[in-house]
Amino acid sequence: TMDKFRMIFQFLQSNQESFMNGICGIMALASAQMYSAFDFNCPCLPGYNAAYSAGILLAPPLVLFLLGLVMNNNVSMLAEEWKRPPGRRAKDPAVLRYMFCSMAQRALIAPVVWVAVTLLDGKCFLCAFCTAVPVTTLGNGSLAPGLPAPELARLLARVPCPEIYDGDWLLAREVAVRYLRCISQALGWSFVLLTTLLAFVVRSVRPCFTQVAFLKSKYWSHYIDIERKLFDETCTEHAKAFAKVCIQQFFEAMNHDLELGHTHGTLATAPASAAAPTPPDGAEEEREKLRGITDQGTMNRLLTSWHKCKPPLQLGREEPPLMGNGWAGGGPRPPRKEVATYFSKV
């Protein structure tokens, strides 16, 4: 069972972008289902209709947007890259902008679906603007001027509530409902068209004008993600090897103490000789994984150094001074044979 979960986790890690797109699509469908299951109850009171409708139109999209950001694994990576000290590797604002825009585009899908569904349904718009219906045009215009403004507002505010509306003598409720829903659906389709055009421009047209900058930002964004994952895997391997060696030493020392106590308690005349403990199989391999870091203080200093002073992005044994923005080498260098070693967890 654990092997299956590990395979699923590795598959999700290798297909993170497709997985996040699927999550965003599920959230978009969930937002539409949430609205269809939501019981919209307009208060039908002047001064409260607009506030209630604004809350229904804006509060759920904000919650869905925050949920979309929270479910994105790159949020912590972006915050870490934004807040870390520059050290020997400067921060590139273009990469940070690319990472944020990539997350925001996915997180905005569900809120856009909620707003579009709300406007196309028309209940929210009807509740918010029922007091702004032109009674003189759609209703009995000769009776409207004779009503006080508060009484007219109280009467029109009940249009969304058919069970308490009693103003058919002034304005037929069906006329007002059709009028406001028509405007709401027109705004809804306009909103869908504008967001579709904006998404097309952002996803298709923008990289054509800034292709070089787009490729650089995309590459280094992937690099930060992969570097973080490999560092976490390396730390996990080191912690596992450190714990294993520490436990082995503990049991070896305990076994040695027990043997000494047993020897001193006997009445044998021969001198007690404690044989040197032989290292168990695999101990040397575990020590090699420690990479020379065998105490807590050294490991803490290494982690602090990684956070405050990451190595410059320039391969080679020598580390020349950082130039430019730290994301590329400075100047030509003599040709050198590079050897890359890959470690894989099997």
Side-chain angles (χ1 to χ4, degrees):
T1 303
M2 294 302 298
D3 294 337
K4 293 181 179 179
F5 280 114
R6 189 179 295 108
M7 291 176 59
I8 294 174
F9 181 73
Q10 292 176 353
F11 173 78
L12 294 179
Q13 278 190 330
S14 60
N15 298 273
Q16 183 178 4
E17 186 172 358
S18 301
F19 175 69
M20 290 307 304
N21 291 335
I23 289 292
C24 293
I26 292 175
M27 289 188 62
L29 294 176
S31 65
Q33 291 295 325
M34 286 171 55
Y35 181 82
S36 61
F38 176 70
D39 188 12
F40 187 89
N41 291 315
C42 184
C44 295
L45 293 172
Y48 291 90
N49 288 9
Y52 179 79
S53 301
I56 297 300
L57 186 64
L58 300 178
L62 179 60
V63 174
L64 291 172
F65 178 74
L66 295 178
L67 285 177
L69 291 180
V70 169
M71 296 181 66
N72 197 315
N73 296 329
N74 294 333
V75 173
S76 58
M77 181 178 66
L78 175 62
E80 179 183 347
E81 182 66 18
W82 179 48
K83 293 296 293 183
R84 72 169 177 84
R88 301 170 66 183
R89 183 191 300 181
K91 293 182 285 188
D92 193 343
V95 177
L96 299 178
R97 287 194 301 268
Y98 173 83
M99 294 167 62
F100 177 78
C101 292
S102 178
M103 292 186 300
Q105 289 174 14
R106 292 187 175 95
L108 281 172
I109 296 177
V112 166
V113 172
W114 177 276
V115 174
V117 172
T118 303
L119 291 176
L120 292 175
D121 183 65
K123 293 179 183 178
C124 188
F125 191 86
L126 173 64
C127 181
F129 295 98
C130 57
T131 57
V133 175
V135 180
T136 56
T137 304
L138 301 178
N140 195 344
S142 60
L143 299 177
L147 288 176
E151 181 66 20
L152 180 61
R154 184 192 65 82
L155 187 65
L156 294 178
R158 296 181 177 181
V159 169
C161 305
E163 62 276 4
I164 64 174
Y165 180 69
D166 54 355
D168 286 329
W169 54 271
L170 179 65
L171 176 65
R173 180 182 177 276
E174 187 65 23
V175 174
V177 170
R178 287 179 177 271
Y179 173 77
L180 292 175
R181 281 193 171 178
C182 180
I183 298 177
S184 178
Q185 290 178 357
L187 292 176
W189 285 116
S190 301
F191 177 77
V192 172
L193 178 61
L194 289 177
T195 52
T196 304
L197 290 177
L198 181 61
F200 172 76
V201 171
V202 171
R203 299 289 293 181
S204 302
V205 179
R206 183 179 63 86
C208 298
F209 294 97
T210 58
Q211 184 66 19
V212 177
F214 178 78
L215 290 177
K216 290 180 180 179
S217 301
K218 186 175 182 180
Y219 176 86
W220 291 116
S221 173
H222 291 325
Y223 173 84
I224 294 173
D225 186 22
I226 295 173
E227 183 187 56
R228 184 191 183 194
K229 291 178 181 178
L230 291 178
F231 184 79
D232 291 341
E233 292 178 1
T234 305
C235 288
T236 302
E237 291 179 0
H238 185 277
K240 184 177 180 180
F242 192 93
K244 189 171 183 179
V245 173
C246 185
I247 293 172
Q248 289 175 351
Q249 290 181 353
F250 171 78
F251 279 99
E252 289 173 3
M254 184 64 67
N255 186 28
H256 181 63
D257 293 341
L258 291 176
E259 289 179 356
L260 287 179
H262 179 71
T263 303
H264 290 163
T266 59
L267 299 176
T269 57
S273 59
T278 59
D281 296 337
E284 293 298 328
E285 182 181 355
E286 297 297 333
R287 289 183 179 274
E288 289 180 359
K289 293 181 180 179
L290 294 179
R291 294 176 172 85
I293 305 172
T294 57
D295 62 279
Q296 183 179 7
T298 305
M299 191 65 199
N300 288 337
R301 288 193 298 270
L302 184 143
L303 295 175
T304 303
S305 176
W306 175 262
H307 173 69
K308 293 184 177 181
C309 189
K310 288 188 178 181
L313 299 178
Q314 187 170 356
L315 299 179
R317 296 183 179 179
E318 299 179 359
E319 295 182 353
L322 192 64
M323 300 185 66
N325 60 356
W327 295 85
R333 301 179 60 190
R336 177 183 296 174
K337 182 179 179 181
E338 299 289 347
V339 179
T341 306
Y342 297 91
F343 295 91
S344 177
K345 296 175 63 179
V346 180

